[in-house]
Amino acid sequence: MITNEKQYKSTKASIEKLTAAFTTLATPTDDLPKVLVNAQRSALRSQIDELEEEIRFYENLRAGRISELSAESLHDLPDILIQARIARGMSQKDLGDFLGVAEQQIQRYEADRYRAASLDRLTEVADALNVRIAERAHLIGSPKLDNVDPSAWQAFPLAEMYKRGWFEDFAGSLSQARKAASDLIPAFLQGAHSQFVPTALHRKSVRSSGHVHEAAIAAWEARVRTLADRNPPERKFDRDCLTDDWVRGLVTLSLDEKGPRIAVDYLRDAGISLVIERHLPGTLLDGAALASSNHHAIVAMTLRHDRLDNFWFTLLHEIGHLKLHIQSGEYTAIFDDNDSPAADKVEQDADYFAQEALLPEACWSLAVSRFTRNEKAVLTDAKRFGVAPAIIAGRVRRDANDYTLLRTMVGSGEVRRQFGL
Amino acid sequence: MAIPNYYVPLLRWRAGEYRAIKRLSDPCRQRTVPLIEVLPPDYDFALRQPKKHIDEQLKPFGKQIEDHWPSRPALVDAVQIDAPTRMSDGRHPLTFIFDDARARELALVPVTALDRDTAYQHSVAGIVAADGRGIGLRCGLEEALDPDFEMHVSALTAHVGCPADAVDILLDLGSPQFDPQNPLIAIVASALASGGIFLSARSVTILATSFPDSLTSLQFGLDVLPRREWLLYKALMAALPAVARRPGFGDYAVAAVEFPKGDMRFMRGSPNVRYAIDDAWLIAKAKRQKSNNNHAYPGLCGAIIASGRFAGAAFSEGSRYIDGCCLGTEKMGNPTTWKWVATNHHITKVVADLATLSGT
């Protein structure tokens, strides 16, 4: 981009030289094959066009024919400020005088595209140029996970992925990882073959209360798949095996104080890998249900809320997805933030599945803890219905939408410990 | 089966409460069986110690019963007194109360529960052996629904030496969530239908209260609070199968489950008059003044009378006092006055309601 008169003049001079060279090549010569001559002419023409475009843009700016400037991202802000100065008819010296700094300082700012300028300075420049910045910020992300661009590696939480040791073959420092991100991220994702198979075979859904950070979810999914594929269950997953008795058996494990840990083997015997992986910054996930390419199923949990009631509800919710949605071909992956509303039927079905599995409505309607919200009532209902007190207490809190109730009854701090976290 | 026509108000035996039952009419007295929670001495927040020794606290108790509730049965529960508390002579406070009552020939029945400590149960056993009046067994709905409830009750009655047909079951719901009401009725009904002690007990009474812990959310002037425990009881009576045993009715009179235990030096309430009406309470409340708070009472009584829900001065002693205060023939009183007025009228009203419901 031309930023001052000196550059304008030198650009014009360059165009003249290139045009002369272009004209010379128009004369036939025996020295070069015609095809090469044409290639050279084409390259020169392209260069001339580019420079002419810059000249035109600069002249238009200078003549005040452009009053609106657009930016795709914050990266474009420095260019906008330079263009605005030109459009205002201000030289770099004028702007320097306006701000009380030397012309050379403005030249340095513009030469390195304001990289060294503080936010205050950028604001000052924008004010000096009387630029009203009305850039809209769009949160990119769709619950259908259809916007993830594998080449947009900048969007991935590289530092956190590095800290967690996800780039297992990379031995460098974090700053080296940053430099190598354009290689590391795609390799990490493709290694887990998680995201970039044809969309038709890979329909996904995210339950969330707001915009979804697709890249963070894609990275988390990739990690989960990698961990699951390392040690797949011997048995093939068959959703028809998730009978009422099997589900009841799983819920009964809640009565054991090591229930969450025991559940890993119980699920494994049904062809389901249970993977624990904390959620990444930018995502609020409780868990996910995923189909695996090698015929087993994956339930992944973040243990975001370290409570027994949340563990069992999330687990049964994901089992519900496996039974109802994942293997029926509707989806290959469903991600859940169970704190957010169940906006569609898929999520409502899974919520209902979990709720009925843990505490059928017929039992809940006769639960004394619905009406007498104390520890004794919770223990009585747990004994009556054959589930852990934490499940009853969790249901009371969920129904009352009051998470201050029965705090000591929901098994806080008892899940992560079992998984060594 | 018939609906019992006796009424069990739970009282904390504050001055306002024992004055209230002393002023009940004879027919009303005949149908009232108070459940008295004996209170420990108040706490002196300035000196950071109880205001009295437990001996001083309990010594007048028997005399007060004799003066205010003579010759009539009452259930006595010492749940509010800390378990390790003992009289100076080493007796358990409950034993002391019943030894004194026995000397005065009072018809008191000790109340216990499954979770009381061994010393308490031992005291109850001694009282049962000495008096032979049986026990009151106070249990929550959550205890009654415990699959092992029957086994626990059998163990307790054997321990205290009380036969099942000398047990008065007090199914105390406390202050439950009253909504949704129908499932709550189904749960209570399922507990009552579980047989065992609910069939063999001398009596079964269901207690609850919906009176709020605080009246601060109520508007100044006149407000209406539904008596959810009474509505629940009526609906329960309608829902129980014809052959099922009907429980009696109890409530916490005009008080909440939790009563104020804070530093009274800093507790300030707005003047209010509480008045039981059909299925609800009328609460007349005025803004608190810096002084002469009792000057608000004639106006509050006037609001109750003008509401169209006033039962008439002749209905109860409480009603009579309200009418008199409004006319200026009675004093403006103090909080204790208005406690007895509200409690006396409430008990009279509930007894009348029960008589209507049971057809007696």
Side-chain angles (χ1 to χ4, degrees):
Chain A
M1 185 173 63
I2 301 167
T3 62
N4 54 34
E5 283 299 301
K6 196 175 161 192
Q7 286 176 5
Y8 174 68
K9 283 174 189 163
S10 76
T11 305
K12 285 195 107 172
S14 296
I15 291 173
E16 278 174 23
K17 280 182 195 164
L18 290 168
T19 306
F22 182 80
T23 310
T24 308
L25 282 173
T27 310
T29 161
D30 296 334
D31 297 346
L32 283 170
K34 194 177 177 187
V35 65
L36 287 181
V37 170
N38 284 343
Q40 277 191 37
R41 279 171 59 84
S42 174
L44 281 172
R45 185 67 257 164
S46 172
Q47 279 186 55
I48 292 165
D49 287 348
E50 270 180 35
L51 294 177
E52 283 178 343
E53 178 57 34
E54 285 191 17
I55 290 282
R56 253 196 311 280
F57 186 65
Y58 182 75
E59 287 173 344
N60 282 337
L61 276 175
R62 203 174 48 177
R65 286 192 284 270
I66 294 175
S67 61
E68 281 199 15
L69 305 161
S70 64
E72 289 297 318
S73 75
L74 282 174
H75 288 294
D76 298 338
L77 181 61
D79 282 356
I80 284 185
L81 293 178
I82 295 167
Q83 290 159 8
R85 176 184 58 73
I86 297 164
R88 288 277 176 216
M90 291 171 85
S91 66
Q92 290 168 322
K93 182 172 186 314
D94 293 338
L95 181 59
D97 291 347
F98 198 104
L99 297 174
V101 299
E103 178 187 2
Q104 289 78 7
Q105 180 63 51
I106 301 297
Q107 282 173 354
R108 277 196 293 273
Y109 277 150
E110 294 191 351
D112 68 0
R113 292 294 185 272
Y114 282 98
R115 210 161 280 136
S118 66
L119 182 61
D120 280 352
R121 177 63 84 193
L122 289 170
T123 310
E124 207 177 354
V125 172
D127 289 345
L129 296 170
N130 207 9
V131 176
R132 187 161 58 112
I133 296 173
E135 189 188 5
R136 285 184 188 160
H138 296 280
L139 296 178
I140 300 166
S142 140
K144 299 295 174 202
L145 283 184
D146 49 14
N147 282 343
V148 185
D149 177 359
S151 63
W153 48 266
Q154 298 95 328
F156 285 79
L158 180 120
E160 182 65 19
M161 294 164 75
Y162 172 84
K163 204 167 89 185
R164 294 191 190 187
W166 288 6
F167 305 118
E168 293 173 355
D169 297 330
F170 181 77
S173 65
L174 174 58
S175 80
Q176 287 166 329
R178 282 205 173 98
K179 283 177 192 156
S182 58
D183 295 326
L184 284 176
I185 300 264
F188 170 79
L189 295 171
Q190 281 148 17
H193 51 81
S194 65
Q195 187 64 41
F196 308 109
V197 294
T199 307
L201 300 176
H202 215 72
R203 194 168 166 222
K204 298 184 178 188
S205 172
V206 184
R207 173 178 179 172
S208 74
S209 53
H211 282 267
V212 170
H213 198 300
E214 293 165 330
I217 289 183
W220 185 79
E221 180 190 354
R223 177 63 180 173
V224 161
R225 287 188 181 281
T226 300
L227 293 175
D229 288 347
R230 263 183 204 160
N231 184 21
E234 287 169 13
R235 190 166 171 179
K236 185 181 162 189
F237 173 70
D238 175 3
R239 70 174 175 148
D240 292 335
C241 293
L242 305 185
T243 60
D244 290 349
D245 283 347
W246 184 89
V247 172
R248 185 68 213 155
L250 178 59
V251 172
T252 305
L253 297 180
S254 72
L255 292 168
D256 194 304
E257 62 178 25
K258 299 225 178 302
R261 194 65 227 166
I262 300 170
V264 175
D265 293 333
Y266 190 86
L267 295 173
R268 201 172 175 75
D269 288 344
I272 303 168
S273 290
L274 176 60
V275 177
I276 307 294
E277 181 62 53
R278 280 181 298 134
H279 67 287
L280 284 166
T283 68
L284 286 176
L285 291 182
D286 289 295
L290 305 103
S292 170
S293 53
N294 55 6
H295 306 298
H296 66 268
I298 303 169
V299 167
M301 296 176 72
T302 65
L303 309 187
R304 175 163 71 109
H305 301 297
D306 185 10
R307 301 192 319 256
L308 285 170
D309 68 314
N310 197 262
F311 174 85
W312 291 109
F313 184 85
T314 302
L315 178 61
L316 269 299
H317 180 96
E318 304 310 340
I319 295 292
H321 279 318
L322 286 184
K323 185 172 171 67
L324 302 172
H325 311 118
I326 295 293
Q327 289 297 313
S328 62
E330 278 186 76
Y331 293 94
T332 52
I334 299 175
F335 303 86
D336 293 299
D337 162 10
N338 286 333
D339 288 347
S340 63
D344 59 21
K345 192 169 179 309
V346 168
E347 288 305 320
Q348 287 161 8
D349 285 351
D351 273 355
Y352 183 74
F353 180 92
Q355 195 162 290
E356 281 295 295
L358 292 168
L359 200 53
E361 194 54 38
C363 292
W364 181 238
S365 67
L366 290 176
V368 64
S369 48
R370 290 175 70 186
F371 300 95
T372 309
R373 294 166 178 167
N374 62 28
E375 291 189 12
K376 251 186 187 177
V378 167
L379 293 172
T380 295
D381 282 339
K383 200 194 276 188
R384 290 166 76 202
F385 306 134
V387 292
I391 289 174
I392 304 285
R395 181 72 185 270
V396 171
R397 288 153 56 102
R398 204 177 174 87
D399 258 37
N401 195 26
D402 183 350
Y403 293 90
T404 61
L405 293 171
L406 302 167
R407 274 191 191 139
T408 59
M409 300 291 289
V410 288
S412 292
E414 290 181 26
V415 186
R416 287 185 199 156
R417 188 168 44 83
Q418 293 196 31
F419 291 99
L421 298 176
Chain B
M1 287 180 76
I3 297 173
N5 63 12
Y6 66 85
Y7 165 49
V8 178
L10 186 144
L11 305 174
R12 269 69 184 250
W13 210 242
R14 299 274 196 198
E17 290 173 328
Y18 57 69
R19 286 178 198 166
I21 60 171
K22 184 181 174 72
R23 291 173 165 90
L24 289 174
S25 67
D26 280 341
C28 189
R29 201 189 305 264
Q30 301 288 331
R31 294 186 170 188
T32 302
V33 184
L35 164 58
I36 300 168
E37 275 189 356
V38 185
L39 296 184
D42 286 338
Y43 193 75
D44 188 324
F45 285 86
L47 297 176
R48 296 183 182 180
Q49 62 183 30
K51 284 182 176 170
K52 296 177 190 169
H53 189 268
I54 188 69
D55 286 22
E56 293 173 83
Q57 174 75 1
L58 297 188
K59 204 173 168 188
F61 184 78
K63 178 80 166 61
Q64 283 169 351
I65 298 268
E66 196 172 29
D67 290 347
H68 296 85
W69 195 247
S71 320
R72 290 289 308 151
L75 296 146
V76 176
D77 191 345
V79 65
Q80 300 287 353
I81 296 176
D82 288 341
T85 307
R86 293 292 177 271
M87 309 303 286
S88 296
D89 60 9
R91 275 184 289 176
H92 192 280
L94 195 69
T95 302
F96 171 82
I97 289 168
F98 276 81
D99 286 350
D100 189 32
R102 199 171 303 119
R104 297 172 190 276
E105 299 181 343
L106 301 174
L108 305 186
V109 175
V111 174
T112 187
L114 293 173
D115 58 0
R116 303 290 161 85
D117 66 290
T118 311
Y120 192 101
Q121 306 294 21
H122 188 68
S123 170
V124 171
I127 295 164
V128 169
D131 295 342
R133 290 200 184 87
I135 59 167
L137 176 60
R138 196 169 169 186
C139 58
L141 192 52
E142 63 281 4
E143 288 175 307
L145 288 166
D146 186 325
D148 298 326
F149 178 65
E150 208 54 49
M151 188 176 72
H152 293 156
V153 171
S154 295
L156 175 70
T157 51
H159 180 71
V160 300
C162 181
D165 61 0
V167 174
D168 295 312
I169 294 282
L170 300 158
L171 183 58
D172 186 357
L173 273 53
S175 183
Q177 301 294 313
F178 284 95
D179 290 316
Q181 184 175 269
N182 286 343
L184 179 58
I185 287 171
I187 293 169
V188 175
S190 75
L192 296 174
S194 60
I197 192 70
F198 287 105
L199 276 182
S200 55
R202 179 167 60 194
S203 71
V204 177
T205 302
I206 180 167
L207 280 105
T209 184
S210 55
F211 201 85
D213 290 337
S214 162
L215 297 180
T216 49
S217 61
L218 298 187
Q219 60 185 15
F220 294 112
L222 214 52
D223 218 330
V224 178
L225 283 178
R227 285 161 51 206
R228 297 298 309 268
E229 60 282 354
W230 175 246
L231 295 168
L232 174 76
Y233 180 75
K234 285 201 296 183
L236 176 68
M237 292 303 102
L240 286 176
V243 291
R245 178 178 190 171
R246 260 75 178 150
F249 175 72
D251 62 18
Y252 282 57
V254 199
V257 168
E258 296 295 331
F259 54 99
K261 289 175 182 166
D263 188 343
M264 297 310 285
R265 293 175 301 168
F266 307 118
M267 310 270 278
R268 298 281 185 271
S270 302
N272 64 80
V273 176
R274 309 164 180 192
Y275 191 77
I277 56 173
D278 289 344
D279 301 335
W281 291 284
L282 276 182
I283 310 285
K285 180 177 147 185
K287 270 191 183 165
R288 199 183 159 278
Q289 305 297 322
K290 282 185 179 169
S291 60
N292 297 325
N293 261 313
N294 59 352
H295 287 197
Y297 284 108
L300 294 175
C301 292
I304 297 276
I305 292 166
S307 68
R309 314 290 295 271
F310 187 59
F315 182 82
S316 65
E317 276 297 297
S319 280
R320 190 194 60 71
Y321 197 93
I322 288 172
D323 191 53
C325 179
C326 179
L327 295 172
T329 58
E330 294 287 357
K331 291 180 182 171
M332 289 183 275
N334 55 36
T336 301
T337 309
W338 296 104
K339 181 77 173 173
W340 84 249
V341 166
T343 307
N344 173 278
H345 171 72
H346 176 90
I347 294 174
T348 309
K349 172 65 179 157
V350 174
V351 167
D353 287 347
L354 272 169
T356 306
L357 191 67
S358 64
T360 58

